[in-house]
Amino acid sequence: MASFTAYPTTKTGCFDPIIYNISIIVTGNANPPALELDVRINASSFRTLFVGTYKERTQVGSDYVYIFEVDLSQVIQSYFDNDSFFYDDLTVYPFSDASLTASVALDAYEWQPDANGVLTKDINPDRSLTRLFFNSLQTDFSDYTAATGRKFITTRADKRLAKDFTNLIAIFADDDAFAVSVVNNSVSTYLTLDKEQIKIIKLN
């Protein structure tokens, strides 16, 4: 069976890479296998992925070990309906809130090649550990430094947000000491993010 050799960190925002490494051993020939993944979200089948491109191959005697690297971030993003973020005021949710999190497991099926390269599906999947990911509109501000000493949510310092649009940011805090400063008309508001919660901020 296909086997999971590396997992993404649990509690990763779905707009960050969510990478699984999965290995398949081919016995007695160098023909490449393929991988079929059933993405299960909250215990229900959500999407099936077919992966034919491997990341690396290692020869062990007459056998070959193939490593597949699969990023599920876009799949998990598509699970969320971001209309749920359209709130009027700042809102705080426990990290486990069902509208903001997805409990993900994978069923990995290997497609084994014979000496002629013909693929046959192994109907016995290997199921991954369950991982809990959250809907993060933005989780890392470090890439958005537009000027010395100032942080911007966008890459341009002159970016303006129109009042007739709802613009929001969702932040998850691993540490309850984490804080965000929001400046509006020269007035600063400091928001303390409670540990293990997601805070949704309306930016208008």
Side-chain angles (χ1 to χ4, degrees), residues 5 21-24 54-57 65-69:
T5 58
N21 282 350
I22 304 166
S23 70
I24 294 178
Y54 58 88
K55 178 185 178 183
E56 61 184 67
R57 180 180 74 173
V65 179
Y66 292 83
I67 300 294
F68 293 81
E69 184 179 87

Side-chain angles (χ1 to χ4, degrees), residues 47-67:
R47 187 161 300 168
T48 301
L49 304 178
F50 294 91
V51 184
T53 303
Y54 58 88
K55 178 185 178 183
E56 61 184 67
R57 180 180 74 173
T58 304
Q59 185 174 0
V60 182
S62 61
D63 302 334
Y64 291 83
V65 179
Y66 292 83
I67 300 294

Side-chain angles (χ1 to χ4, degrees), residues 38-102:
D38 179 18
V39 183
R40 302 174 58 82
I41 297 183
N42 297 334
S44 297
S45 180
F46 177 70
R47 187 161 300 168
T48 301
L49 304 178
F50 294 91
V51 184
T53 303
Y54 58 88
K55 178 185 178 183
E56 61 184 67
R57 180 180 74 173
T58 304
Q59 185 174 0
V60 182
S62 61
D63 302 334
Y64 291 83
V65 179
Y66 292 83
I67 300 294
F68 293 81
E69 184 179 87
V70 183
D71 184 356
L72 290 186
S73 57
Q74 291 186 2
V75 175
I76 298 174
Q77 285 176 39
S78 68
Y79 167 77
F80 291 105
D81 177 4
N82 278 324
D83 288 343
S84 64
F85 281 101
F86 280 58
Y87 298 103
D88 292 330
D89 301 303
L90 181 149
T91 309
V92 179
Y93 287 91
F95 177 72
S96 59
D97 188 280
S99 66
L100 299 177
T101 59

Side-chain angles (χ1 to χ4, degrees), residues 116-181:
N116 297 315
V118 177
L119 295 172
T120 302
K121 180 180 178 179
D122 184 344
I123 63 172
N124 299 305
D126 185 18
R127 179 164 293 182
S128 74
L129 298 176
T130 299
R131 287 288 186 266
L132 190 65
F133 304 113
F134 65 92
N135 189 352
S136 55
L137 300 187
Q138 182 53 254
T139 61
D140 184 0
F141 285 53
S142 62
D143 295 333
Y144 295 89
T145 302
T148 302
R150 291 184 290 167
K151 299 272 187 184
F152 290 87
I153 293 173
T154 65
T155 55
R156 292 174 50 193
D158 61 346
K159 174 68 175 177
R160 297 292 182 267
L161 298 173
K163 289 185 176 180
D164 54 342
F165 288 96
T166 303
N167 300 278
L168 302 107
I169 184 170
I171 307 170
F172 172 70
D174 283 314
D175 188 340
D176 56 12
F178 186 79
V180 175
S181 174

